[in-house]
């Protein structure tokens, strides 16, 4: 039973196993292909998924690498970048910045000390331009760029600020423009220096557009044309029509300038320099300037034609005037040299002529017994001596004029009395058949003037009239004309041509070389009259005569007492004759003093300055006549020694030195008076009386 049971238990298991195998075989037989397809599909899908995952991994690694490279580039690039969140206060004003992202350069510039709102040591809130730019970006949602300078580092950036994606955020970009700004500063400085140099030199750059026919001046200096006169003057460029610029050129120069620039425009000439005159206007008044213009043609265009002329304009009015003045001065110097040469050549004749008469008649004077003939010879000697003295005086006056030392002494002068004296003096020189007439302008006329200079002018004019008048009359006189007195000398001589009347007042000019004279008289007269605030002129007609006239200010004066009466009587001191000490080393000169003074004074003669001091101590004279140029001790040293023991004794210097500077030295060296040789007898007597009178007061 048990065996059967075991057998029956095993049979179902075998059967089931067989059924399963059979099922599997049937299943495989029926579903083998679909299963394989399914497995294949699953494998493919898994492969695709795995491949995608792998490729994504690879791409991510590449993206991470690129991102790292990008970040590295962003961090190290010379342009700063940042994304910033702007924090505003309750009034909507910026109060803080929060950095969202930024490269190293941005952080270095804006957050150097760890503070978020610090801009390289200075709060960005103090940078008004930065704050305004940020506010504008937020309010207007538009990009803003501006120049940003960090003073502490002395660097500049061109900053661009634009809205970011999120509200309240901004992107900031900045590129370093320090080098550019420094170059611009240097260029600006160079331009300013160049402009200053151009302004100081009055050098004006210009450019001529030959197609548009306009000229542009690049300077605040410009030509003021009539229609542009009211244009505001300012620095910059000024554009004018070329025709108007050419019209402002003086007519004498315009054609020459036009032809020169046409040659430049046609390529016939490379560079041109011209000097010409231009006419400008100031408040409607034209004025002329000299300019120097340099020009050259720019490189021709593709068609081979010159389209622009460029150059510079320099105002040379001052230089041109100086050049013209130098030319005139050179011509005057050459003419003066020629005239002086002629003058020196003429001096031999002018000096030898009176000397011949003086020496000749002096040598035969002692052999003549006839008193009338002797008197005639003496008169001839005196007249020629006077001519020689006048010649010397003219030369001295010329030297005084050139040195500016001609002196004037104003005293009351009786004009009628002076005229009578001159008539008596000139009457002896008038040729036979010529009538000399004097016309008084008033019954009495006393003026304040320099008597000697007034006489010198009148004598010179009268002497010229005598020289050139062979027949007819010579009339001289004066007229009172309000605030001036008018003197005139009229003759009926040969007259002066109109074209030569101005020349006679030039030095060394002689219209007639056959007539005696130096050619200095009229120029000296003109200088004297001018110094006395008057005017000298001439009215003349050939073959009809001439009228020389001059005017002086009319200053009325009271005539002083005439000292000639006191001079006529002998002078005494304490009941004895006055004793004069004459210090003179030349025997002839002493003999002259003796002949003049011995009848009225006791004379003591010293041959030199040392002897004059010794004789003064012995004789105690009342007055000393002291020559300056003496041996052993000159007059200056002798006076110093005399003044050590006597301060009141009058000392009069008598010298051949006749310049004003000599008189000044004399009067500042202890002398009381000054007389120049040759001695004028009246002046000598008058000065002796005057100084003795002052001593006895």
């Amino acid at each position: 039973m048990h065996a059967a049971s075991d057998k029956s238990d095993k049979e179902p298991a075998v059967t089931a196993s067989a059924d399963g195998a059979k099922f599997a075989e049937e299943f495989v037989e029926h579903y083998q292909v679909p299963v394989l397809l399914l497995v294949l599909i699953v494998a493919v899908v898994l492969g695709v998924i795995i491949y995608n995952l792998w490729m994504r991994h690879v791409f991510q690694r590449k993206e991470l690498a690129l991102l790292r490279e990008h970040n590295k580039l962003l961090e190290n690039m010379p342009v700063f970048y940042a994304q910033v969140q702007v924090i505003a206060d309750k009034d909507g004003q910026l109060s803080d910045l929060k950095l969202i992202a930024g490269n190293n350069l941005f952080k270095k510039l804006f957050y150097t000390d760890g503070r978020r709102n610090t801009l390289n040591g200075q709060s960005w809130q103090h940078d008004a331009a930065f704050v305004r730019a940020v506010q504008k970006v937020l309010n207007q949602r538009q990009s803003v760029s501006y120049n940003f300078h960090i003073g502490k580092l002395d660097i500049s950036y061109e900053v661009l600020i634009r809205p970011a994606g999120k509200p309240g955020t901004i992107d900031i970009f900045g590129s370093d423009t320090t080098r550019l700004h420094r170059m611009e500063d240097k260029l600006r400085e160079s331009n300013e220096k160049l402009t200053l140099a151009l302004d100081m030199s009055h050098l004006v750059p210009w450019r001529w557009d030959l197609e548009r026919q306009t000229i542009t001046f690049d300077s605040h200096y410009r030509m003021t044309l009539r229609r542009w006169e009211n244009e505001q003057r300012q620095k910059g460029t000024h554009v004018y029509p070329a025709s108007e610029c050419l019209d402002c050129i003086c007519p004498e120069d315009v054609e020459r300038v036009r032809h020169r620039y046409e040659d430049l425009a046609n390529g016939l000439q490379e560079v041109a320099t011209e000097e010409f005159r231009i006419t400008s206007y100031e408040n409607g008044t034209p004025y002329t300037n000299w300019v120097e213009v340099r020009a050259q043609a720019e490189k021709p265009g593709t068609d081979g034609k010159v389209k622009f002329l460029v150059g510079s304009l320099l105002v040379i009015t001052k230089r041109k005037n100086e050049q013209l003045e130098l030319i005139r001065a050179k011509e005057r110097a050459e003419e003066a040299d020629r005239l002086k040469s002629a003058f020196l050549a003429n001096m031999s004749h002018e000096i030898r002529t009176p000397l011949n008469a003086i020496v000749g008649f002096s040598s035969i004077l002692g052999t003549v017994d006839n008193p009338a003939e002797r008197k005639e010879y003496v008169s001839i000697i005196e007249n020629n001596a006077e001519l020689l003295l006048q010649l010397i005086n003219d030369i001295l006056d010329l030297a005084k004029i050139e040195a500016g030392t001609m002196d004037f002494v104003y005293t009351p002068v009786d004009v009628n009395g002076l005229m009578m004296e001159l008539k008596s003096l000139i009457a002896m020189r008038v040729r036979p058949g010529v009538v000399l007439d004097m016309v008084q302008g008033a019954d009495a006329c006393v003026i304040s003037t320099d008597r000697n200079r007034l006489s010198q002018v009148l004598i010179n004019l009268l002497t010229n009239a005598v020289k050139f008048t062979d027949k007819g009359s010579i009339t001289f006189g004066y007229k009172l004309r309000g605030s001036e007195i008018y003197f005139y000398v009229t003759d009926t001589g040969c007259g002066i041509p109109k074209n030569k009347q101005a020349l006679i007042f030039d030095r060394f000019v002689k219209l007639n070389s056959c007539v005696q004279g130096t050619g200095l008289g009229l120029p000296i007269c003109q200088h004297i009259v001018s110094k006395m605030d008057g005017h000298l002129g001439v009215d003349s007609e050939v073959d009809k005569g001439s009228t020389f006239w001059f005017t002086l200010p009319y200053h009325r004066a009271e005539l002083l007492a005439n000292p000639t009466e006191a001079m006529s009587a002998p002078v005494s001191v304490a009941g004895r004759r006055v004793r004069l000490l004459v210090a003179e080393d030349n025997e002839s000169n002493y003999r002259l003093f003796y002949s003049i003074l011995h009848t009225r004074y006791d004379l003591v003669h010293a041959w030199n300055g040392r002897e004059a001091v010794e004789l003064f101590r012995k004789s105690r004279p009342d007055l000393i006549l002291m020559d300056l140029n003496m041996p052993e001790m000159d007059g200056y040293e002798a006076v110093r020694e005399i003044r050590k023991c006597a301060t009141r004794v009058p000392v009069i210097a008598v010298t051949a030195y006749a310049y004003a500077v000599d008189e000044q030295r004399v009067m500042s060296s202890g002398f009381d008076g000054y007389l120049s040789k040759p001695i004028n007898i009246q002046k000598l007597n008058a000065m002796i009386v005057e100084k003795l009178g002052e001593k006895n007061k």
Side-chain angles (χ1 to χ4, degrees):
M1 286 214 36
H2 289 292
S5 298
D6 292 336
K7 186 177 180 182
S8 61
D9 292 334
K10 295 179 179 177
E11 288 180 355
V14 172
T15 305
S17 176
D19 293 338
K22 184 179 180 181
F23 176 79
E25 292 176 358
E26 292 178 355
F27 180 82
V28 169
E29 182 180 357
H30 290 86
Y31 297 99
Q32 183 178 5
V33 174
V35 170
L36 290 175
L37 290 174
L38 178 61
V39 171
L40 180 59
I41 292 171
V42 171
V44 170
V45 170
L46 290 175
V48 171
I49 292 173
I50 293 171
Y51 176 79
N52 287 335
L53 291 175
W54 171 254
M55 292 303 296
R56 180 178 297 177
H57 175 69
V58 172
F59 288 150
Q60 287 178 347
R61 290 182 63 185
K62 289 183 178 181
E63 288 178 356
L64 289 174
L66 290 174
L67 183 59
R68 283 195 296 269
E69 292 296 330
H70 176 269
N71 289 336
K72 184 178 180 180
L73 177 63
L74 186 63
E75 292 294 335
N76 297 324
M77 67 189 305
V79 176
F80 70 70
Y81 161 75
Q83 189 174 83
V84 177
Q85 180 179 356
V86 180
I87 301 175
D89 58 16
K90 61 180 180 179
D91 297 326
Q93 301 298 320
L94 276 67
S95 62
D96 202 354
L97 295 175
K98 181 178 180 181
L99 180 63
I100 299 175
N103 62 359
N104 291 333
L105 181 57
F106 180 85
K107 295 175 182 179
K108 177 182 178 182
L109 294 175
F110 285 77
Y111 298 99
T112 56
D113 59 358
R115 295 172 56 192
R116 290 181 300 169
N117 66 342
T118 300
L119 180 63
N120 193 40
Q122 179 181 356
S123 173
W124 57 264
Q125 292 174 317
H126 295 288
D127 188 81
F130 181 80
V131 173
R132 286 196 302 270
V134 171
Q135 193 73 49
K136 186 174 182 180
V137 170
L138 293 177
N139 294 340
Q140 301 181 11
R141 303 295 296 174
Q142 63 179 17
S143 299
V144 175
S145 63
Y146 73 103
N147 292 321
F148 179 64
H149 183 261
I150 302 177
K152 186 175 181 180
L153 298 178
D154 192 22
I155 56 177
S156 300
Y157 277 84
E158 181 73 21
V159 176
L160 173 65
I161 303 176
R162 67 181 184 83
K166 297 180 181 180
T169 61
I170 57 175
D171 289 328
I172 304 175
F173 302 89
S175 60
D176 190 346
T177 57
T178 303
R179 185 176 179 183
L180 176 61
H181 280 283
R182 288 177 181 173
M183 291 179 64
E184 289 177 348
D185 291 340
K186 290 183 179 180
L187 181 60
R188 187 180 304 107
E189 182 180 356
S190 298
N191 288 336
E192 290 176 354
K193 291 180 180 179
L194 178 60
T195 302
L196 179 61
L198 292 175
D199 291 345
M200 293 182 65
S201 64
H202 296 289
L203 191 65
V204 184
W206 56 266
R207 193 165 189 256
W208 188 343
D209 188 331
L210 297 176
E211 292 184 348
R212 294 186 177 87
Q213 283 299 306
T214 58
I215 300 179
T216 302
F217 293 91
D218 295 326
S219 174
H220 72 281
Y221 182 86
R222 58 184 179 79
M223 293 185 296
T224 309
L225 308 181
R226 183 184 293 276
R227 60 175 292 187
W228 302 84
E229 183 180 0
N230 296 324
E231 178 185 345
Q232 183 179 3
R233 296 195 178 196
Q234 58 185 3
K235 292 185 177 181
T237 59
H238 302 273
V239 182
Y240 301 101
S243 58
E244 294 193 16
C245 293
L246 292 175
D247 287 343
C248 77
I249 301 176
C250 288
E252 297 85 352
D253 304 327
V254 65
E255 287 303 319
R256 169 171 55 88
V257 175
R258 189 191 302 274
H259 289 321
R260 182 60 63 90
Y261 291 155
E262 287 177 354
D263 291 344
L264 287 173
N266 295 328
L268 301 178
Q269 192 172 352
E270 294 182 357
V271 180
T273 301
E274 285 290 338
E275 294 181 0
F276 52 88
R277 292 157 293 177
I278 60 173
T279 301
S280 299
Y281 295 86
E282 189 72 34
N283 299 325
T285 302
Y287 62 94
T288 300
N289 271 329
W290 275 95
V291 295
E292 179 185 77
V293 177
R294 300 177 182 270
Q296 67 179 28
E298 284 192 355
K299 185 177 180 181
T302 56
D303 56 359
K305 294 183 179 180
V306 176
K307 296 184 179 180
F308 295 96
L309 298 180
V310 295
S312 62
L313 179 147
L314 177 64
V315 179
I316 60 170
T317 303
K318 183 178 179 181
R319 187 182 79 189
K320 201 69 177 180
N321 290 338
E322 290 174 350
Q323 289 178 350
L324 295 175
E325 183 59 33
L326 285 175
I327 293 173
R328 287 192 291 266
K330 178 176 177 292
E331 293 174 349
R332 289 195 299 267
E334 291 175 347
E335 180 66 12
D337 184 66
R338 184 189 67 80
L339 292 174
K340 282 187 177 181
S341 298
F343 166 73
L344 293 175
N346 188 44
M347 281 300 97
S348 175
H349 175 267
E350 297 299 329
I351 293 175
R352 288 177 181 273
T353 298
L355 276 178
N356 180 61
I358 294 172
V359 173
F361 283 103
S362 296
S363 63
I364 65 175
L365 189 61
T367 64
V368 176
D369 296 328
N370 189 330
E373 188 177 357
R374 180 186 293 270
K375 183 177 180 181
E376 180 184 358
Y377 291 169
V378 170
S379 177
I380 293 173
I381 292 173
E382 290 177 347
N383 290 336
N384 282 275
E386 187 175 344
L387 290 175
L388 186 60
L389 179 60
Q390 181 62 44
L391 173 63
I392 295 173
N393 287 335
D394 285 347
I395 297 174
L396 292 176
D397 284 340
L398 176 63
K400 291 179 182 180
I401 290 173
E402 291 183 344
T405 57
M406 178 172 280
D407 53 332
F408 294 83
V409 179
Y410 286 79
T411 58
V413 176
D414 181 3
V415 178
N416 290 337
L418 176 62
M419 291 291 186
M420 293 299 298
E421 293 178 13
L422 295 180
K423 182 178 181 180
S424 300
L425 177 64
I426 299 299
M428 297 183 295
R429 305 180 186 178
V430 175
R431 298 177 183 180
V434 177
V435 178
L436 177 65
D437 192 16
M438 189 268 291
V439 179
Q440 295 182 355
D443 294 336
C445 180
V446 179
I447 63 173
S448 177
T449 188
D450 188 315
R451 177 185 176 89
N452 293 334
R453 298 302 179 189
L454 177 58
S455 299
Q456 183 177 352
V457 175
L458 287 171
I459 289 173
N460 196 296
L461 298 181
L462 287 168
T463 301
N464 286 344
V466 170
K467 289 179 184 179
F468 296 100
T469 304
D470 296 328
K471 58 182 180 179
S473 63
I474 298 174
T475 304
F476 71 102
Y478 70 93
K479 298 178 182 178
L480 299 180
R481 294 182 174 180
S483 61
E484 66 180 16
I485 182 170
Y486 173 85
F487 295 91
Y488 62 91
V489 176
T490 301
D491 63 67
T492 58
C494 59
I496 305 171
K498 291 290 185 182
N499 59 344
K500 294 184 178 180
Q501 290 180 10
L503 298 177
I504 61 176
F505 296 103
D506 292 337
R507 297 176 183 178
F508 314 119
V509 172
K510 291 179 62 177
L511 298 184
N512 189 342
S513 59
C514 296
V515 178
Q516 189 176 19
T518 62
L520 293 175
L522 288 177
I524 292 173
C525 290
Q526 187 179 49
H527 180 80
I528 292 173
V529 172
S530 176
K531 285 294 184 180
M532 296 172 71
D533 297 327
H535 300 281
L536 173 66
V538 60
D539 300 317
S540 182
E541 190 173 349
V542 177
D543 296 330
K544 291 187 178 181
S546 304
T547 297
F548 283 86
W549 56 267
F550 65 95
T551 61
L552 294 177
Y554 177 48
H555 300 303
R556 295 185 61 183
E558 295 294 332
L559 193 63
L560 301 178
N562 191 351
T564 56
E565 295 180 0
M567 288 169 40
S568 61
V571 178
S572 62
V573 177
R576 63 172 177 82
R577 280 165 61 94
V578 171
R579 184 179 297 117
L580 304 184
L581 172 59
V582 181
E584 174 61 64
D585 63 322
N586 185 282
E587 184 177 0
S588 298
N589 287 338
Y590 174 71
R591 292 294 301 172
L592 177 62
F593 283 120
Y594 180 82
S595 63
I596 297 172
L597 302 173
H598 79 280
T599 59
R600 302 180 62 235
Y601 306 105
D602 289 336
L603 301 181
V604 180
H605 181 209
W607 290 95
N608 55 60
R610 190 177 303 280
E611 187 178 357
V613 176
E614 295 174 357
L615 289 176
F616 171 78
R617 291 170 179 167
K618 293 178 181 179
S619 62
R620 292 293 176 176
D622 300 295
L623 184 140
I624 302 173
L625 298 176
M626 181 74 72
D627 187 23
L628 296 181
N629 190 15
M630 295 183 296
E632 296 192 32
M633 181 183 291
D634 63 18
Y636 293 106
E637 189 175 354
V639 168
R640 284 196 296 269
E641 293 297 323
I642 291 173
R643 290 303 183 202
K644 292 179 180 178
C645 56
T647 58
R648 293 195 59 189
V649 59
V651 183
I652 299 174
V654 182
T655 177
Y657 297 110
Y659 290 106
V661 64
D662 299 314
E663 183 177 357
Q664 293 173 2
R665 181 188 176 190
V666 166
M667 299 308 294
S668 63
S669 300
F671 291 86
D672 299 284
Y674 169 87
L675 288 173
S676 62
K677 297 178 181 178
I679 296 299
N680 183 294
I681 297 176
Q682 291 182 345
K683 287 184 178 180
L684 174 62
N685 285 325
M687 184 168 290
I688 291 174
V689 172
E690 177 186 352
K691 298 306 176 184
L692 288 174
E694 292 177 357
K695 176 185 176 183
N696 295 327
K697 286 183 179 180

